[in-house]
Every structure is written in structure tokens, then in C-alpha cells.
Amino acid sequence: MSFEGKCAIVTGGSRGIGRAIVETLAQRGARVIIADRQDELAAATAAEVAAATGQEVSALHVDVADHLSARDLAEKALARLGRLDILVNNAGITRDTLLLRMDEADWDQVVDINLKGAFNCSKAVLRQMMKQRSGRIVNIASVSGIAGQAGQANYSASKAGLIGFTKALAREVGSRGITVNAVAPGFVPTALTVDLPAELKEASLKGIPLGRWGTPQEIAYAVAFLASDEAAYITGHVLSVDGGMVMG
């Protein structure tokens, strides 16, 4: 699976699953832009991955919830890379609490970044992808968007919306050679899960047939496949990478 000659944008690519995706694409030959609002971290990550892979990896600032910022990202990325082949909408946050305790701001921020962010960034790159008559958009959803999760009404809703967005957009742009798919990770050790109570982490294992949490790298492998030429006939699909946690 080679990405030689391909150019990719990964939002939220500075750490966790996003960084693993950046590393995996770069290792296989892609030129990658880390799009993040944490400028120093993004620049440091880009330098580290570039040194480790020998590929061109750089950083650009973006606030995915702001459509003007997303448009600016796409314009700068195109000027830098010359083409846009892959967009991975990975940027996401959690603001977990029970609905009765949830502030409106916690709802809005999660939906704005997790769902509206994918809308903004996808819209920003689509014109170039349509001009090329090729492209891959991979959205990072979640098993919480499939099965729901107590204490995550905002997060689950945003990820369920992202799944619907994936399927709708796939129908719109398929005739232009652009595929749109989603990866739905299960429990993975990242900054989003580090603060989960120990008892919840332990309880989660009982619902996973493989008996363990996944790794960022395992999610990255799934993303790389859906972004590859080998997956050219797959679109509108949601690939659960969750150890069997959610089936059906």
C-alpha cells in the first residue's frame, strides 16, 4: 500500500490517533500536513515525523469549527502541496457529563468541532478534489455514534451525525471519483480517554470480545486502507475498529 505522490491533510494530527495516522501515511510515501489549532505542538510533531520518515510533513493552523479558517487551510495546503488527495477529519473533543448536568456550551463545542468541523474541512477541499476527479475523505467517528454511551449525549450525537454526513456526502461526490468513508474506533488509549475512571476502563473490557483496548496504530491502519487506491470501490462505509465491541 503506497501513497507515493499523494498529498494528505490530517486534522488534529498532533497526537494520539491523529499522529498515528500522520506517521502511517508518511511512512508509505505521502506528503502530509498536520492541521491543528495547537501550533507549537503541531510544528514539533511535524518535525519529528518528517525526521523519522524522510517525508515532507508540515503544519498549518486551523480552527475546524470556523469555516473561514478551514477554507484558509485548504488554500494554503493546495499552494504548498499542489494537489489534495486525502482529507482525514480526525479533530475531536469530549465534554462528558450526564445530560441533566450538561451545559449548552459543552453541547455546542463538541458538535461544532466534531461534526461541523468535518463539514467545514470537507467543503473546503472538495472543489480541488472534484477538479482532480479523485479524492479520499475519511472521517473519524466512534462506536459511541453507533451504540450511544451514557454521559456522552453530545459526543455520541456528534459522531452519529458524522456517520450520516459520511453516507450523504458519499452519494453526492461518488460520480467524481471521490470516496467518503468513516472509521469508528472503540476504546483506545488517547488524551480523550485518559481521564476515564479506572472502574469504567475495567468494565469496558467485558464488552470487548478480543479482551483489550485498541491502539492508535490499529486505527491508523484502517484509515490508511480506506485512503488507499486499494479501497477505490468502497464508499459510504463505516468501518468499526473496536475488537468486536459493537457488531451489526
Side-chain angles (χ1 to χ4, degrees), residues 125-142:
V125 304
L126 269 177
R127 191 173 300 278
Q128 177 61 26
M129 287 185 175
M130 293 175 75
K131 182 179 178 180
Q132 295 169 183
R133 299 194 70 84
S134 67
R136 300 279 186 270
I137 297 175
V138 183
N139 298 318
I140 305 303
S142 170

Side-chain angles (χ1 to χ4, degrees), residues 64-76:
V64 298
D66 182 342
H67 76 279
L68 293 178
S69 181
R71 188 174 67 184
D72 185 61
L73 164 68
E75 291 173 353
K76 289 180 178 177

Side-chain angles (χ1 to χ4, degrees), residues 4 16 22 27 39 58 80-81 91 94 107 112 116 132 150 162 164 203 222-223 234 241:
E4 292 290 339
V22 170
Q27 287 165 358
D39 296 338
S58 57
R80 183 174 298 181
L81 301 175
T94 57
W107 175 276
D112 281 352
K116 186 180 178 183
Q132 295 169 183
L162 188 56
V223 172
I234 300 172
V241 185

Side-chain angles (χ1 to χ4, degrees), residues 194-216:
V194 68
D195 292 328
L196 289 177
E199 59 270 20
L200 179 57
K201 293 180 181 180
E202 184 65 28
S204 71
L205 297 177
K206 298 178 182 178
I208 303 174
L210 291 187
R212 65 174 178 85
W213 282 23
T215 68

Side-chain angles (χ1 to χ4, degrees), residues 95-104 106-107 149-154:
R95 294 290 184 270
D96 295 351
T97 191
L98 296 176
L99 187 66
L100 285 174
R101 300 174 182 170
M102 187 177 294
D103 293 334
E104 183 178 1
D106 291 334
W107 175 276
Q149 185 69 30
Q152 288 193 321
N154 49 4

Side-chain angles (χ1 to χ4, degrees), residues 22-41:
V22 170
E23 291 173 341
T24 300
L25 294 177
Q27 287 165 358
R28 287 159 173 75
R31 301 162 65 200
V32 186
I33 287 177
I34 297 173
D36 209 302
R37 60 182 178 180
Q38 300 183 65
D39 296 338
E40 292 185 6
L41 180 59

